[in-house]
């Protein structure tokens, strides 16, 4: 097994049950969309050929030269059929996206809800390529046309932001949720190279650490899914070259657990130990459970016998935010980024943490997650 040679301590907690929803908070700030007009000239377009986009809310005061960039999440498409369907939605075209995006949590401009980053320049990168901003190919059979141009979209957005002040950044945080969290692992190195050499650049992945592990039938379901994705969208050429050269299976470098060996950028990795996506797609995908033995557990995690699952409302810096040793997610990330405190925090086993509200999901409950533990060594944090 490859050893991680960077200042990241990887604590592999039990990865079972709960959705990879992302840190958020109550204050609502609508921010308008900016289309990257020059992107077409470089072939940087969404699945359907529409222009890529982002939302920018300007920083002010002491934060005017500091930047947060957040990759939007939203899964992937790994075959022509699913990508054609995706191209007809907001996940594959800016034509179907809302032109206003609500900024909250770490993107909020409210000092009481986001005390460390409220006055920074805050950017949300819209997701329309289906491959975590990493592909570079095209499908054209004379009838259907799909553009797999996530890498070019990433580069086009950065080049649009550089003259708007990103080129003068003193501090920067590259973040993302779910598929967007995975994108931070794919782009942390080239993001650092695009900024001033004296800038403090760090990364935050929220619910984006997808594992390459066997499912209940002892097969690697997520590995198969990602292999198809990497092949379809021409991703391998854009993966970390140090990683791809080190293995006989370069496509594995799409997984964060392998890419981490070759990342030197300081990282805070926030992930729930109870992650419903990984439970449903990595551990118990539909194909090995043809008789539905796991259905009751998947539909009602409280019915699981092997592991009790926990559903917890997640917030960034609210009164009811989940805490580990009385520390919120926002406080942990802020302490880590600014080097205010070096600590190690690991949550107690479920259900002892009473800051988790133990909500069983219903159609009315949509934002759910508990980061079971986060660790803050010298320059990185995990869980």
């Amino acid at each position: 097994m490859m050893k991680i040679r960077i200042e990241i301590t990887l604590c592999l907690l039990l990865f079972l049950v709960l959705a990879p929803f992302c840190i958020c908070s109550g204050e609502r700030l609508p921010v308008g969309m900016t289309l990257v007009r020059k992107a077409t000239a470089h072939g940087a377009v969404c699945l359907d050929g529409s222009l890529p986009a982002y939302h920018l809310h300007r920083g002010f005061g002491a934060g005017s030269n500091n930047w947060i960039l957040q990759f939007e999440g939203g899964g992937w498409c790994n075959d022509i059929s699913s990508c054609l369907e995706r191209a007809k939605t907001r996940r594959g075209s800016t034509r179907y996206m809302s032109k206003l995006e609500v900024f909250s949590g770490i993107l909020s401009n409210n000092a009481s809800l986001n005390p460390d980053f409220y006055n920074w320049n805050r950017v949300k990168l819209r997701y329309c390529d289906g491959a975590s901003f990493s592909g570079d190919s095209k499908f054209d059979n004379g009838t259907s046309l799909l553009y797999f141009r996530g890498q070019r979209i990433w580069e086009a957005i950065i080049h649009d932001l550089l003259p708007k002040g990103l080129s003068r950044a003193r501090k920067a945080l590259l973040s993302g949720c779910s598929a967007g969290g995975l994108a931070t692992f794919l782009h942390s190195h080239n993001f650092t190279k695009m900024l001033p050499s004296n800038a403090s650049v760090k990364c935050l992945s929220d619910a984006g650490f997808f594992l390459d592990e066997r499912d209940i039938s002892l097969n690697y379901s997520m590995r198969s899914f990602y292999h198809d994705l990497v092949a379809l969208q021409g991703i391998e050429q854009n993966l970390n070259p140090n990683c791809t050269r080190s293995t006989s299976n370069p496509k594995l470098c799409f997984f964060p657990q392998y890419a981490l060996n070759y990342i030197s950028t300081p990282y805070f990795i926030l992930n729930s130990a109870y992650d419903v996506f990984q439970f449903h797609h990595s551990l118990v995908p539909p194909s090995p459970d043809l008789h539905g033995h796991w259905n009751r557990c998947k539909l009602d995690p409280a019915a699981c016998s092997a592991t009790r699952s926990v559903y917890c409302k997640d917030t960034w810096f609210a009164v009811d935010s989940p805490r580990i040793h009385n520390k919120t997610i926002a406080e942990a990330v802020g302490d880590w980024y600014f080097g205010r405190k070096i600590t190690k925090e690991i949550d107690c086993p479920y259900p002892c943490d009473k800051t988790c509200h133990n909500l069983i999901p219903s159609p009315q409950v949509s934002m759910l997650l508990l980061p079971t533990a986060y660790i803050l060594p010298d320059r990185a944090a995990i869980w």
Side-chain angles (χ1 to χ4, degrees):
M1 180 179 292
M2 295 179 292
K3 294 182 179 179
I4 296 176
R5 302 184 183 278
I6 55 178
E7 293 175 74
I8 294 182
T9 302
L10 181 56
C11 177
L12 288 179
L13 302 179
L14 178 64
F15 251 96
L16 291 174
V17 202
L18 271 203
F21 295 112
C22 305
I23 44 182
C24 65
S25 192
E27 190 75 6
R28 299 177 66 84
L29 172 67
V31 178
M33 174 185 284
T34 299
L35 293 171
V36 184
R37 301 290 178 183
K38 297 179 181 179
T40 305
H42 303 284
V45 292
C46 300
L47 286 172
D48 71 333
S50 58
L51 289 171
Y54 61 87
H55 301 255
L56 165 64
H57 194 261
R58 288 286 190 175
F60 57 91
S64 58
N65 288 319
N66 301 333
W67 290 75
I68 290 180
L69 275 65
Q70 185 179 80
F71 289 111
E72 184 178 29
W76 311 270
C77 62
N78 72 333
D79 56 38
I80 296 302
S81 176
S82 62
C83 289
L84 285 172
E85 289 302 312
R86 188 182 180 100
K88 301 172 187 176
T89 73
R90 66 184 181 91
R91 296 301 186 196
S93 172
T94 51
R95 295 186 179 102
Y96 303 107
M97 292 180 182
S98 169
K99 302 306 181 281
L100 287 176
E101 188 71 5
V102 173
F103 276 23
S104 61
I106 198 171
L107 297 181
S108 172
N109 67 338
N110 186 319
S112 64
L113 297 175
N114 187 26
D116 285 314
F117 305 104
Y118 73 96
N119 60 353
W120 287 30
N121 297 283
R122 286 151 289 114
V123 185
K124 185 166 188 175
L125 287 68
R126 299 308 299 270
Y127 184 31
C128 65
D129 66 281
S132 292
F133 296 83
S134 64
D136 194 0
S137 65
K138 183 173 73 172
F139 171 79
D140 185 357
N141 65 358
T143 302
S144 300
L145 178 61
L146 287 167
Y147 296 93
F148 304 125
R149 298 289 173 76
Q151 178 71 27
R152 299 192 195 191
I153 289 172
W154 156 249
E155 293 171 357
I157 291 176
I158 291 297
H159 284 109
D160 204 61
L161 291 171
L162 287 172
K164 296 182 178 181
L166 183 60
S167 63
R168 302 185 299 276
R170 294 177 182 172
K171 294 182 175 66
L173 179 62
L174 184 64
S175 67
C177 170
S178 192
L182 191 151
T184 67
F185 296 102
L186 303 176
H187 295 297
S188 60
H189 181 60
N190 55 42
F191 180 59
T192 300
K193 292 194 298 185
M194 293 173 179
L195 300 184
S197 59
N198 62 347
S200 173
V201 183
K202 301 186 180 184
C203 296
L204 165 65
S205 171
D206 178 8
F209 200 92
F210 296 93
L211 291 174
D212 178 36
E213 297 293 338
R214 295 182 186 273
D215 61 30
I216 57 172
S217 64
L218 302 182
N219 292 316
Y220 287 95
S221 296
M222 282 304 295
R223 180 184 295 187
S224 176
F225 181 92
Y226 279 160
H227 276 202
D228 291 345
L229 173 65
V230 171
L232 175 68
Q233 297 221 22
I235 295 171
E236 186 174 325
Q237 61 188 314
N238 296 319
L239 298 176
N240 189 306
N242 294 322
C243 181
T244 57
R245 284 194 296 264
S246 71
T247 174
S248 60
N249 188 355
K251 293 181 178 67
L252 287 177
C253 296
F254 193 76
F255 281 98
Q257 70 197 77
Y258 303 109
L260 269 175
N261 291 275
Y262 307 96
I263 294 176
S264 58
T265 309
Y267 245 98
F268 192 114
I269 303 174
L270 172 64
N271 246 87
S272 174
Y274 306 89
D275 187 320
V276 78
F277 180 89
Q278 304 214 43
F279 180 52
H280 286 196
H281 297 274
S282 297
L283 180 63
V284 193
S287 55
D289 187 32
L290 297 178
H291 299 291
H293 296 304
W294 287 74
N295 283 352
R296 186 177 174 218
C297 177
K298 291 166 74 172
L299 293 173
D300 180 8
C304 297
S305 58
T307 293
R308 282 296 304 273
S309 51
V310 48
Y311 281 73
C312 300
K313 180 181 178 182
D314 178 34
T315 52
W316 177 243
F317 197 71
V319 174
D320 61 347
S321 175
R323 297 170 181 263
I324 298 177
H325 299 163
N326 204 34
K327 180 175 288 188
T328 65
I329 300 168
E331 290 169 328
V333 172
D335 286 349
W336 160 76
Y337 188 93
F338 294 101
R340 291 190 295 245
K341 188 176 182 182
I342 300 174
T343 61
K344 179 177 180 179
E345 304 287 354
I346 301 177
D347 203 8
C348 55
Y350 172 79
C352 79
D353 189 342
K354 302 307 179 184
T355 66
C356 171
H357 305 291
N358 303 329
L359 299 177
I360 298 299
S362 69
Q364 290 75 40
V365 179
S366 60
M367 294 302 290
L368 303 168
L369 172 103
L370 175 65
T372 295
Y374 40 73
I375 303 170
L376 296 108
D378 188 19
R379 295 178 58 200
I382 299 179
W383 272 257

